């Protein structure tokens, strides 16, 4: 009878090979988990370009001439400025002062921009809510 010699699995060299294989498998699982997390978070904004967070220069010809920023109303009558960006990327400003009503502001702004009635109605509700919030903040201050 002949005996077959087997590989000694308890030898130090074999143990280091086994340890390396286990470490490599653990590392690979961690990398795949990280890659999976990154894909889910970045796929949210993949469809649309993100607007810049910082101020970008726009030349005078491309600026909206609805509001002259040097001629803002005095601080006691000024509430806030509403900004609207249309489909072409053009930015419009609407200065809201104390005593303004959301309905009249929305109608005039909507007529200038050719908004439909439902959009003007939604804008008037939004503007009136913001006016009410700012007026309440002023009363609490």
């Amino acid at each position: 009878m002949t005996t077959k010699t087997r590989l000694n699995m308890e030898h130090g060299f074999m143990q280091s090979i086994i340890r390396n294989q286990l470490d490599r498998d653990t590392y690979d699982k961690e990398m795949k988990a990280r890659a999976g997390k990154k894909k889910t978070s970045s796929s949210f904004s993949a469809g649309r370009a993100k607007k810049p967070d910082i101020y970008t220069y726009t030349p005078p010809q491309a600026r909206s001439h609805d509001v002259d920023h040097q001629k803002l109303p005095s601080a006691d009558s000024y509430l806030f400025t509403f900004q609207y960006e249309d489909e072409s990327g053009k930015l419009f400003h609407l200065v809201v002062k104390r005593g303004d009503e959301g309905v009249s502001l929305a109608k005039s702004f909507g007529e200038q921009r050719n908004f439909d009635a439902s959009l003007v109605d939604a804008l008037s509700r939004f503007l009136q809510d913001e006016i009410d919030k700012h007026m309440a903040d002023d009363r609490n201050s």
Side-chain angles (χ1 to χ4, degrees):
M1 286 195 179
T2 59
T3 59
K4 290 186 179 180
T5 58
R6 293 183 155 199
L7 196 55
N8 183 4
M9 298 299 282
E10 294 177 7
H11 189 274
F13 183 72
M14 287 305 297
Q15 288 178 347
S16 68
I17 290 174
I18 292 170
R19 191 176 330 111
N20 284 343
Q21 288 174 336
L22 292 173
D23 290 344
R24 184 174 51 223
D25 186 47
T26 305
Y27 176 78
D28 188 48
K29 286 179 184 177
E30 290 174 358
M31 288 292 118
K32 286 181 181 178
R34 284 185 190 171
K37 288 180 183 177
K38 286 182 182 178
K39 285 181 184 177
T40 58
S41 64
S42 65
S43 64
F44 175 75
S45 63
R48 267 179 61 167
K50 184 178 177 186
K51 291 183 183 179
D53 293 333
I54 58 173
Y55 172 77
T56 54
Y57 174 76
T58 54
Q61 313 78 306
R63 290 185 195 151
S64 170
H65 297 290
D66 291 343
V67 173
D68 189 3
H69 291 286
Q70 287 74 22
K71 295 181 182 178
L72 285 176
S74 64
D76 57 335
S77 66
Y78 173 80
L79 282 179
F80 64 94
T81 302
F82 171 73
Q83 293 182 356
Y84 169 74
E85 184 178 351
D86 65 2
E87 294 86 18
S88 66
K90 192 172 181 183
L91 196 61
F92 299 96
H93 301 276
L94 175 66
V95 175
V96 180
K97 300 173 275 187
R98 291 185 205 288
D100 285 344
E101 293 184 16
V103 175
S104 60
L105 288 173
K107 282 183 182 178
S108 63
F109 193 77
E111 286 174 2
Q112 294 171 358
R113 309 290 175 280
N114 297 322
F115 289 170
D116 62 349
S118 62
L119 194 55
V120 170
D121 187 43
L123 180 60
S124 68
R125 283 192 305 262
F126 173 78
L127 287 174
Q128 193 59 51
D129 288 345
E130 288 298 314
I131 290 170
D132 294 341
K133 284 181 198 174
H134 282 81
M135 294 299 286
D137 289 345
D138 288 348
R139 279 185 236 127
N140 293 335
S141 297

